[in-house]
Each structure stands twice: as C-alpha cells, then as structure tokens.
C-alpha cells in the first residue's frame, strides 16, 4: 500500500516534467499547427544558457528571467531564419527541418558544454516540505507548471495579442484580411513556445541532471501527454502529463514490468491517434472542403 | 587535427611503398575513438595514446622503429566503426587495431577483425566477451571485465553480510546483464539473496520509479549497475527517500567529478566501488613516481589534456601495455607473433596500476587485468580498503 502511494507520488513528480514540456508542444501547435520535434532540444539549450549565467555568478531568479527572454528571442530567430523559408513546403519537409534542428542543437550543445552531466540548482529549499516521497523541487516544479498554464490561459483568452495569434493559426487568410500580421504571429508563437520550454528545462534539469540528451526521453512522454490531453488544449496537456507519469509508474511497477514502460507511452500515442485523435479535451476539427 | 595529416601522409606513404616493406620501417597502429557524438568525453583517451606514441618516437621508437598512430573518429556509432576499421585494415594496411572504444562499436567489428586475422587488441570496453580465445583468437580486452567486478562485490557481500537482502538496478543491455551475471555467479547458490532486480532503459528520463520498487522490496543492500546520469539519480533518490542501503556502485560510474558531485557528495558517503588504476587526484599519490611521470608526460606531450580526467591516466597505462607487446615482438612483426606476444604477458606492471595488480595473459587467458581493490567514499575522496581481489 505504501509502495502504491509512493509510486503514485513519484509518477506525479515525473508527470510534472512531461506536463511542462507538453505545454510547450501545445503552445507551438496552437500558434503554427505544427508539432516541433526540436522543442525538447531548444528547452535543453536554454537550460544550458541559464547554467552559464548562474555559473558566471548571476543569482537564480534574474538568471531565470533572462533565460526566458533569451529563449524567446532564440525561438523568434529560429522561426525567422530557419522555418520561414520552408513555410509553404510540404509537411514532411518541415518535419525534416525540425529533426535537423534537433540534431544540430544536440551536437552543438555537446560540443560547447561536453556530454558529462551537470547539476543544476533549484530555487526551492533542499529540506523536504512534502514528506520524503516528493522533494521540494518536484513539488515546486509542479506549481511552476500550473502557474505557466494559468498565464497561457489568460494570455490566449483575454489579451488581443493572444486572440490575434489564435486567429493567425486557425485561419491565416481571414486573419490577414482583418489586418493581423500572420508572419509575425507565427514568430511570436515560436518565441512563446521556446520561452515555455526554457521554463520546463530549468524545472526538469535539477531532477534528471543537465546533459545534452536530457530531453530525449522526456520528449516522447511529452508527446504522449499532449496527445492524450488534446494537442490544442494546454490544460489537457498538463492533465495528460500527470496521467502518463502515474500510469507509467503503476503499470511498470505492478503490471507489465519496467522493460515495457516506454512502450506505454508509444501505445498511448497510437491508441489516442486511432481511437480519439483529438484527445480527451481537444476540439474536434472540422474542415470545410 | 594533426591526426588527419598523419592519415593523409600514411595514405601517400602506402601508395609509394609496398605494405611489407613499410611494415619493416614503421609500426602502423590503427584506432577508432569517439571524438564527436554522445560518448565524445572518452575521445581524450585516443589523444593521450597519440601523445604517448609521440613520446616513444622522440625517444627512438620501439626496437628502432617509429610508431605511426592512425586514429579515426567513429562517433561511437557501430556502422561508422565498421567503415573505419575496414579503411584501417584495407587501405591504411595497419599492423593491428588497438584500443578501439566502446562495446557496441567493437561488437560490430569483432567478426571482421577475426575473419581478416588482424590483431584487435586491448579494446576499451569492460565486456566479458573479449576474453574468448577459442572463438575469437584475434581479439583481446584489457581492463577488468564487468563479470570480474560483479563477482568481487558478491564476494564482499557474502563475507561481510551473509544475511543481506539485495536489490539490483541494472541497465537493460549487454553491459548491465554482464555485470548482473558476474554478480550472480559470485553469489553462487546464495543467489536467492537477491530479493528484487529491476531494469531501466537508457531512454527513461529518471529511475525514480525503479528505486521506489527496490526500497519497497525490503532490500538492505543495493547493487547499482548504471551509467553516470542514472547513477547520480539513483544515489540521490536512495538518500532522499530515506532508504540508505549498503550501496555498491559499479566502477563505470565511480567518477567523483561527473557522478558523485552532481548527486551531492554528502549523499554519496559510504558508497563502495572498485579501482585498478591510481587516481591522480588522490592525495596519497602526490609524491608517487609513476603519477608524477605521467603528469610530466601530460605537460610535455598533451598540455591541453585535463589532469583530473581519469581517462587520461587510463590511456597512458593501456598504451604502456601495447608498448610492452611490441617490445616483446622484437623484429618479428607478423600479425601472428603480435597475438602470440599479447598472450604472453607475464607479471607485467605499468606502475600507474594500483600496487599489487599485475597483467598476465596466456593462450587460454585473454583477460589482462583481473584484479581490483574495493574503495569506499568518505565524502571527499575514495579510500582503498582490503586486499587486492580477483585473480
């Protein structure tokens, strides 16, 4: 019984990791209707920037904020320089660009910072405040993810800019007609997704340790989380993250064994796509032909 | 990028002279190392060995012959290793391949090297399968293999805590299973002391769930067969969750700088592991002649190399072994004689090995180093304790 509780709590803690990256995936999907495979590596790179700032002597929170800004700029630059030219290319071409971006960011980071793991500081106290099953950082990271979720919700629902971004993604032609600069909205979407990813990276790194491959495994689970919740629904993605985390632990520990944990994520991805492509909370998309 | 020039020079030379004539004047040694990619931290081994041959050549070579070191980057990718090994053997016409790095890359060229009958010597991996002179008479490992190490921990547990309840965490691949096999062999008929064994995949983000399972099994002893990132996670989780078992950590992850520090030194106190080479950071070797010799070598021939990186003293030590084999071969530089000499090392001792450890090989024993010493972490450094264990 105690183990069950411990597994659930550990699952919620890793679920928080998946949720934070799933949020970034949903973010970019909302803004561009594309799934960015390099999202994890962008987050990882931003985390290394934060690590450099903190190592250069900057206190945690200023470094945190500066990293979010830098990640935002990086996202915008990537959209302008790399994604723009393939804007009208077939989807597969774009996917190839995303994968190239993934490999490039991974190798460049390894080249600059080496592949040995680094510890990344946590802004939360070292003393366990949630009992011995969940560290303060894991609890705090879940809190940060929920705050980011709330901010995104408010931004998209209540600000004119958020509305414009949604419009640009859903119907670029009409959006253009009412005077929205669709190109810049896409760039903004990239920037925001990169910033959200940067926050995710800084929350994940103290848990899994910082190395260039830190996000590789996480990304797959984050995909499953985003799909389960509905790829266009931020709250759904966070819910999906927790669900995948807990499910993975319980099935791994009590039902199918640890060898098949990763398979759980893959089965979820395929299952959702086959049975309910819009996920639990996603909107069913109807396209007029 | 000097290595590239060397290889171009080698190609030109090969084009001009027939390989046999060339073999008489220089000794061509081929190698693959991950200078790029996920395992590139180990690339420094290839650079150290290159520097070692430079030193040997400056001092007059081996039996009057210069050593030519041709080292290619395989990025730790097995298909690339195959390509590079073929290039080394067929184009560069090397006498032998030495210290090719990594279990998957070496597995990929294992059959090829033996089919071509080219010595595949002192490969940089701890897998046990390199010690198989019957099926693979051209391949030989060097470092203590994983099974040997697993057996050493098993012996220590049997002696010190015969009632131990053991939990094992292992990476679900050749490397993890090799350790586990040695450990179980060492426990022998007491194998039921293992109350729980759980595995993880390299793609798993964390091993927290596995650690919870081990803790819940009631184990009081923990054998941790993990690579650095997961080792650090496991050390931290074992401490944070209040489990605190007697913790055996495989030598693969015994680095203070890249594992224990990230995990938190205070959480690593009491860890037990093994060692066979002198740790240059260890205070007790401060005035040790062999370590100082190595430091002088690094300063002169590889000044960019990191003195705190154990890979560099490893490269230096293994290169001495190759040096010894070539010395023993004398003027008969046939491939058969090289293998014969590699299998004829008797009580050879590079002084950078821990005191008491000797290298012995024979026609039926292709495992050069088979002993290690246990070490315990005191919060600052590893302290050796007990006798030299193994053969």
């Amino acid at each position: 019984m105690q183990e069950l509780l411990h597994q659930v709590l550990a699952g919620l803690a890793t679920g928080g990791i998946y949720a934070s990256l799933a949020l970034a995936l949903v973010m970019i999907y909302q803004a561009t209707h594309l799934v960015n495979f390099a999202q994890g590596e962008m987050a990882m790179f931003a985390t290394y920037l934060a690590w450099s700032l903190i190592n250069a002597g900057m206190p945690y929170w200023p470094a945190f904020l500066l990293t979010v800004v830098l990640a935002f700029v990086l996202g915008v630059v990537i959209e302008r320089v790399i994604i723009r030219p393939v804007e009208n290319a077939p989807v597969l071409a774009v996917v190839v660009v995303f994968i190239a971006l993934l490999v490039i960011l991974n190798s460049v980071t390894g080249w600059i910072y080496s592949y040995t793991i680094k510890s990344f500081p946590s802004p939360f106290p070292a003393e366990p405040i949630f009992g011995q099953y969940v560290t303060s950082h894991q609890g705090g990271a879940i809190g940060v993810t929920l705050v980011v979720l709330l901010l995104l919700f408010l931004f998209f629902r209540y600000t004119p800019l958020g509305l414009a971004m949604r419009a640009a993604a859903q119907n670029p032609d009409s959006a253009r007609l009412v005077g929205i600069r669709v190109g810049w909205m896409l760039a903004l979407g990239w920037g925001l997704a990169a910033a959200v990813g940067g926050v995710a990276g800084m929350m994940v790194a103290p848990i899994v340790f910082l190395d260039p491959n830190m996000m590789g495994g996480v990304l797959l689970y984050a995909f499953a989380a985003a799909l389960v919740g509905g790829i266009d629904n931020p709250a759904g993605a966070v819910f999906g993250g927790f669900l995948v985390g807990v499910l993975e632990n319980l099935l791994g520990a009590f039902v199918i064994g640890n060898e098949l944990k990763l398979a759980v994520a893959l089965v979820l991805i395929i299952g959702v796509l086959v049975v309910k492509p819009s996920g639990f909370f996603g909107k069913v998309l109807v396209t007029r032909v | 990028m000097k290595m590239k020039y060397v290889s171009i020079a080698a190609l030109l030379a090969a084009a001009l002279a027939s390989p046999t004539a060339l073999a008489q004047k220089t000794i061509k040694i081929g190698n693959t190392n991950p200078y790029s990619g996920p395992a590139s931290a180990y690339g420094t081994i290839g650079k150290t060995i290159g520097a070692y041959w430079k030193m040997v050549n400056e001092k007059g070579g081996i039996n009057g012959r210069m050593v030519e070191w041709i080292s290619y980057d395989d990025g730790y990718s097995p298909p690339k290793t195959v390509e590079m090994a073929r290039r080394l053997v067929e184009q560069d016409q090397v006498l032998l391949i030495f210290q090719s790095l990594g279990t998957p890359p070496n597995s990929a060229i294992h059959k090829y090297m033996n089919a071509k009958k080219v010595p595949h010597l002192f490969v940089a991996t701890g897998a046990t399968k390199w010690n198989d002179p019957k099926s693979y008479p051209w391949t030989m490992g060097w470092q203590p293999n994983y099974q040997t190490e697993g057996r050493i921990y098993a012996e220590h547990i049997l002696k010190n805590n015969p009632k131990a309840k053991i939990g094992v965490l292992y990476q679900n691949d050749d490397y993890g299973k090799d350790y586990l096999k040695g450990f179980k062999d060492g426990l022998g008929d007491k194998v039921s002391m293992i109350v729980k064994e759980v595995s993880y995949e390299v793609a798993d983000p964390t091993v927290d769930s596995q650690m919870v399972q081990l803790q819940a099994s009631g184990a009081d002893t923990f054998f941790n067969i993990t690579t650095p990132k997961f080792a650090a996670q496991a050390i931290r989780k074992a401490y944070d969750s209040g489990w605190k078992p007697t913790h055996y950590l495989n030598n693969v992850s015994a680095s203070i700088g890249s594992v224990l520090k990230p995990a938190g030194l205070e959480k690593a106190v009491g860890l037990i592991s093994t060692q066979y080479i002198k740790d240059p950071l260890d205070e007790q070797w401060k005035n040790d002649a062999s370590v100082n010799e190595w430091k002088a070598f690094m300063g002169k021939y590889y000044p960019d190399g990191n003195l705190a990186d154990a890979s560099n003293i490893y490269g230096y030590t293994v290169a001495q072994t190759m040096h010894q084999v070539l010395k023993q071969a004398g003027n008969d530089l046939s491939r058969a004689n090289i293998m014969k000499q590699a299998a004829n090392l008797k009580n050879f001792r590079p002084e950078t090995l821990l005191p008491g450890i000797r290298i012995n090989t024979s026609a039926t024993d292709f495992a050069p180093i088979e002993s290690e010493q246990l070490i315990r972490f005191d919060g600052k450094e590893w302290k050796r304790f007990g006798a030299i264990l193994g053969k």
Side-chain angles (χ1 to χ4, degrees), chain A residues 3 6-7 14 18 115 117 119 132-133 135 138 206-209 211 213 217-218 221 249 253 258-259 261-262, chain B residues 37-38 40 172 198-199 201 203-206 208-210 212-213 215-216 229 232-233 236-237 240-241 258 262-263:
Chain A
E3 189 193 356
H6 197 166
Q7 286 288 7
T14 34
Y18 307 153
Y115 287 86
I117 61 169
S119 55
Q132 63 182 11
Y133 291 153
T135 63
Q138 288 170 327
I207 301 175
V208 303
F209 294 108
D211 80 317
N213 302 315
V218 177
Y221 288 101
N249 272 13
N258 295 304
E259 294 84 359
K261 271 172 72 173
L262 199 63
Chain B
S40 55
N172 191 13
V198 292
S199 68
E201 308 291 328
D204 285 349
T206 76
D208 281 5
S209 170
Q210 283 86 338
V212 172
Q213 292 171 44
Q215 185 183 6
K229 175 169 123 184
Q233 289 182 0
R236 191 182 54 190
K237 182 75 181 171
D240 285 348
S241 63
S258 60

Side-chain angles (χ1 to χ4, degrees), chain A:
Chain A
M1 197 55 220
Q2 200 190 10
E3 189 193 356
L4 183 73
L5 178 72
H6 197 166
Q7 286 288 7
V8 169
L9 288 173
L12 284 176
T14 34
I17 298 179
Y18 307 153
S20 58
L21 191 63
L23 260 186
L25 286 173
V26 168
M27 184 63 233
I28 198 111
Y29 187 82
Q30 278 211 322
T32 64
H33 273 201
L34 290 168
V35 174
N36 179 9
F37 293 101
Q39 200 70 60
E41 307 310 294
M42 285 166 61
M44 174 274 296
F45 188 73
T47 314
Y48 268 100
L49 293 180
W51 182 85
S52 303
L53 292 174
I54 292 170
N55 258 33
M58 198 183 263
Y60 185 88
W61 287 110
F64 182 94
L65 289 176
L66 185 56
T67 303
V68 170
V69 173
L70 285 175
F72 180 87
V73 174
L74 182 76
V76 170
V77 169
I78 287 180
E79 200 279 339
R80 290 276 112 173
V81 179
I82 301 172
I83 308 300
R84 209 85 220 276
V86 293
E87 203 179 13
N88 297 317
V91 178
L92 271 183
V94 182
V95 168
V96 170
V97 171
F98 284 159
I99 290 175
L101 201 55
L102 183 159
V103 177
I104 292 170
L105 280 173
N106 187 291
S107 315
V108 167
T109 314
W111 180 57
I112 301 176
Y113 294 100
S114 93
Y115 287 86
T116 49
I117 61 169
K118 297 178 164 51
S119 55
F120 190 85
S122 163
F124 305 106
E127 299 307 312
I129 43 179
F130 302 103
Q132 63 182 11
Y133 291 153
V134 178
T135 63
S136 323
H137 178 80
Q138 288 170 327
I142 292 175
V144 168
T145 305
L146 294 176
V147 169
V148 172
L149 171 66
L150 182 72
L151 288 177
L152 283 181
F153 172 77
L154 295 176
F155 174 75
F156 277 113
R157 182 59 68 86
Y158 294 110
T159 65
L161 190 58
L163 183 68
M165 280 179 65
R166 277 180 8 211
Q170 274 172 18
N171 197 333
D173 291 338
S174 307
R176 217 167 261 127
L177 286 177
V178 294
I180 294 170
R181 298 183 62 183
V182 172
W184 271 108
M185 291 301 123
L186 292 181
L188 265 184
W190 269 83
L192 274 181
V196 172
V199 174
M202 284 182 279
M203 290 297 118
V204 171
I207 301 175
V208 303
F209 294 108
L210 182 57
D211 80 317
N213 302 315
M214 151 176 109
M215 285 298 193
V218 177
L219 187 70
L220 198 73
Y221 288 101
F223 271 131
L227 281 169
V228 166
I231 186 84
D232 55 1
N233 186 325
V238 171
F239 169 81
F242 290 128
L243 184 77
V244 170
V246 173
L247 209 61
E248 169 208 17
N249 272 13
L250 292 183
L251 289 177
F254 302 114
V255 186
I256 51 174
N258 295 304
E259 294 84 359
L260 290 175
K261 271 172 72 173
L262 199 63
V264 171
L266 295 167
V267 167
L268 270 178
I269 291 178
I270 295 175
V272 169
L273 286 177
V274 170
V275 179
K276 201 170 183 323
S278 52
F280 283 156
F281 305 104
K283 274 193 290 286
V284 180
L285 211 63
V286 183
T287 314
R288 206 184 309 162
V289 187

Side-chain angles (χ1 to χ4, degrees), chain B residues 276-278 285 288-291 293 313 316-317 320 347-358:
Chain B
Y276 60 97
I277 294 185
K278 290 174 183 168
W285 308 123
D288 183 80
S290 65
V291 171
E293 220 171 80
I313 197 161
Y316 180 77
T317 313
Q320 290 178 56
N347 281 326
F348 174 61
R349 213 188 114 67
E351 289 300 324
T352 37
L353 290 178
L354 287 183
I357 296 182
R358 284 165 203 290

